[in-house]
Amino acid sequence: AQSVAQPEDQVNVAEGNPLTVKCTYSVSGNPYLFWYVQYPNRGLQFLLKYITGDNLVKGSYGFEAEFNKSQTSFHLKKPSALVSDSALYFCAVRDITETSYDKVIFGPGTSLSVIP
Amino acid sequence: DTGVSQDPRHKITKRGQNVTFRCDPISEHNRLYWYRQTLGQGPEFLTYFQNEAQLEKSRLLSDRFSAERPKGSFSTLEIQRTEQGDSAMYLCASTSQRGVRGYTFGSGTRLTVV
């Protein structure tokens, strides 16, 4: 079965420093991977996706993610964190089994706090 | 196009009552998903529609839950005989047919069962 793990419940980083939010996945075939962000009392917003091609994917708000097949990871990164980046971040994987109809499975989330 | 709309934003109900939520997806999106999110957890898949057809239901969706998308546009999610364990944020998302695209989520309906 497909699954997503986010090993850190909480990540704290100083404003201006680089940030990384970790994600590992498990799928039976080739993964489609996603990152979403959720601000308080809001729905999830799509940040970026990896389908195929370049392992480094660029997304919204200056975020990028690196796909590493050998380590089954898809870590989210940003070179310089902003206080406004503080939010809940979810990694997700597409379930590509025949009957899944591209249902996406979400990880448990990582709370990012950027400290001024 | 104003995105995915969900109504109501908040619902407080007494245990045992029935509740119904509505989702209006982006008009050109033919795929619609319902997820449930509890505090501190990621969204959990509940059910999926392609046009008006409900193609998949999670085992999380007990017999008390029913969802419809009668004309392939808006969708409703009904919970009968609500229980305290139903308290959660109910999220609706939509996407288009072709390719693998990110979902567009609504802001959700927060249900509190007292």
Side-chain angles (χ1 to χ4, degrees), chain A residues 41-114:
Chain A
N41 299 314
R42 301 284 298 277
L44 280 76
Q45 296 179 29
F46 171 74
L47 277 180
L48 52 79
K49 68 179 186 288
Y50 171 82
I51 307 300
T52 186
D54 195 346
N55 289 343
L56 187 63
V57 178
K58 294 188 183 298
S60 306
Y61 312 121
F63 284 94
E64 59 189 25
E66 186 169 11
F67 171 64
N68 187 318
K69 187 172 184 178
S70 63
Q71 296 184 3
T72 62
S73 67
F74 188 56
H75 300 332
L76 181 70
K77 300 179 180 182
K78 187 173 183 180
S80 178
L82 301 173
V83 172
S84 58
D85 293 329
S86 299
L88 201 54
Y89 289 81
F90 292 95
C91 183
V93 64
R94 178 185 169 186
D95 182 341
I96 59 173
T97 58
E98 184 176 335
T99 58
S100 72
Y101 300 102
D102 84 286
K103 174 180 65 183
V104 171
I105 297 167
F106 288 85
T110 298
S111 180
L112 173 67
S113 292
V114 180

Side-chain angles (χ1 to χ4, degrees), chain B residues 26-80:
Chain B
I26 292 174
S27 57
E28 61 265 30
H29 287 179
N30 65 337
R31 296 182 172 192
L32 185 148
Y33 303 79
W34 285 98
Y35 281 80
R36 181 173 67 188
Q37 184 179 22
T38 53
L39 196 62
Q41 301 295 320
E44 297 172 297
F45 171 78
L46 292 179
T47 190
Y48 158 69
F49 290 87
Q50 183 168 316
N51 299 312
E52 66 276 7
Q54 186 175 20
L55 297 184
E56 189 171 357
K57 290 173 61 174
S58 166
R59 285 169 290 181
L60 292 174
L61 220 62
S62 74
D63 291 343
R64 297 185 295 107
F65 288 72
S66 62
E68 294 183 339
R69 195 182 182 196
K71 298 182 180 180
S73 56
F74 74 91
S75 175
T76 57
L77 177 68
E78 181 183 15
I79 308 174
Q80 295 181 328

